[in-house]
Amino acid sequence: MRKLIASCLAATLVASGLAAAPALAQSRNDQGEARKEMRAGNVLPLREIERRVLPQMRGSEYLGPAYDSRAMVYRLKFIRDGRVTFVDIDARTGRVVRRSR
């Protein structure tokens, strides 16, 4: 289901001309940074972050993660009743930094 949603969103962005190659490159670079930081023991693994946060979001569909290497924050994206919620997690401690609705 996540892949279908992601594919539809990507197709919509490309069709509307909003997709930007630099943004995609930055996303890939951040993923690499997350792996590097995790191996060095500086941040928690994504699976550990998800294990902590997903139970708190019962009733919401988990759409996926993103990692901001500058802020060292994981951003988890959820949807419930057509409303998107972002939960920002400190990658070092696993604590919720911000929840947007």
Side-chain angles (χ1 to χ4, degrees), residues 57-76:
M57 300 300 292
R58 293 187 199 279
S60 296
E61 181 180 349
Y62 179 46
L63 299 177
Y67 179 72
D68 182 340
S69 62
R70 290 185 204 138
M72 293 183 83
V73 168
Y74 287 105
R75 173 168 274 188
L76 307 184

Side-chain angles (χ1 to χ4, degrees), residues 59-96:
S60 296
E61 181 180 349
Y62 179 46
L63 299 177
Y67 179 72
D68 182 340
S69 62
R70 290 185 204 138
M72 293 183 83
V73 168
Y74 287 105
R75 173 168 274 188
L76 307 184
K77 185 176 180 181
F78 299 87
I79 190 166
R80 181 178 184 175
D81 300 327
R83 299 191 79 184
V84 174
T85 301
F86 294 99
V87 180
D88 294 341
I89 310 296
D90 184 311
R92 295 165 289 220
T93 65
R95 291 195 173 125
V96 174

Side-chain angles (χ1 to χ4, degrees), residues 3-70:
K3 288 182 182 180
L4 176 62
I5 291 171
S7 296
C8 290
L9 179 59
T12 302
L13 290 173
V14 169
S16 64
L18 296 176
L24 292 174
Q26 181 62 39
S27 175
R28 284 189 208 113
N29 186 39
D30 281 344
Q31 290 173 2
E33 282 297 312
R35 281 191 294 276
K36 181 177 141 188
E37 292 291 340
M38 185 191 67
R39 285 187 201 121
N42 297 329
V43 300
L44 295 169
L46 174 60
R47 298 302 167 231
E48 175 64 20
I49 299 291
E50 291 172 334
R51 187 188 66 73
R52 294 177 183 194
V53 176
L54 292 177
Q56 298 174 26
M57 300 300 292
R58 293 187 199 279
S60 296
E61 181 180 349
Y62 179 46
L63 299 177
Y67 179 72
D68 182 340
S69 62
R70 290 185 204 138

